Amino acid sequence: MRAKYVFMAVMALICGATMSQAKMLRGYSTSDAEVTGGRASASGVMALAVDSIDFRSDLTRVYARVWGRPNTSQRIDAATLTLGKRSMAWTDVDGIEMKHYFQFEEDGMIPLEIDFPAARAERRGSLTFVTVHGTYTYHLR
């Protein structure tokens, strides 16, 4: 019986230590897109709102929403997160497929979870998307 309590105590310590390593920053504001190399399209300019960034020991996950004109298509070929002097390329994304066209539905909004390599927690930076309609850079603060 005593071994059971020791095991539970050890597991609680491990869980607590693991959770203390992650840091979730909320309350980001995102600038309007700076578009370079853009060309006119029916899609218009894609907007972005970053909800939070989860800084974990194994990855950095950006929780965001993108908006576009309803019933138009877009494609994101690359994403880069810049924090301080460090720039990191995306490793995975949920909500769309990397390098494939997607369509904005009637509400024009798509939630995204974008993974990057692990990084130190910072409040300021930028998120850049390379799309078929140009390069979009959004400044985070």
Side-chain angles (χ1 to χ4, degrees):
M1 191 62 131
R2 179 176 162 89
K4 178 180 174 182
Y5 291 115
V6 170
F7 176 76
M8 288 174 40
V10 168
M11 291 306 294
L13 286 171
I14 290 172
C15 289
T18 303
M19 288 174 41
S20 68
Q21 292 177 356
K23 184 171 186 174
M24 175 79 77
L25 294 181
R26 300 179 192 281
Y28 281 91
S29 62
T30 312
S31 70
D32 290 336
E34 290 178 14
V35 183
T36 55
R39 58 188 172 114
S41 72
S43 299
V45 175
M46 185 171 60
L48 172 83
V50 172
D51 299 321
S52 60
I53 301 179
D54 190 4
F55 295 94
R56 302 181 192 175
S57 60
D58 59 336
L59 63 87
T60 300
R61 178 167 288 162
V62 175
Y63 295 93
R65 293 167 284 149
V66 291
W67 282 271
R69 180 183 246 163
N71 303 312
T72 61
S73 64
Q74 179 62 278
R75 187 178 83 205
I76 300 175
D77 292 333
T80 303
L81 178 65
T82 303
L83 298 170
K85 294 181 180 180
R86 184 170 181 204
S87 292
M88 302 164 288
W90 66 356
T91 56
D92 191 26
V93 63
D94 290 333
I96 63 167
E97 287 188 52
M98 301 165 95
K99 300 181 182 180
H100 286 83
Y101 278 95
F102 59 90
Q103 181 171 328
F104 291 103
E105 299 299 331
E106 291 301 318
D107 66 355
M109 190 272 296
I110 298 175
L112 298 177
E113 293 179 9
I114 311 167
D115 293 344
F116 297 92
R120 203 180 62 197
E122 292 204 30
R123 175 63 64 183
R124 295 188 180 271
S126 65
L127 186 58
T128 302
F129 292 138
V130 176
T131 76
V132 293
H133 302 295
T135 301
Y136 296 73
T137 300
Y138 305 91
H139 296 281
L140 311 173
R141 43 191 183 282

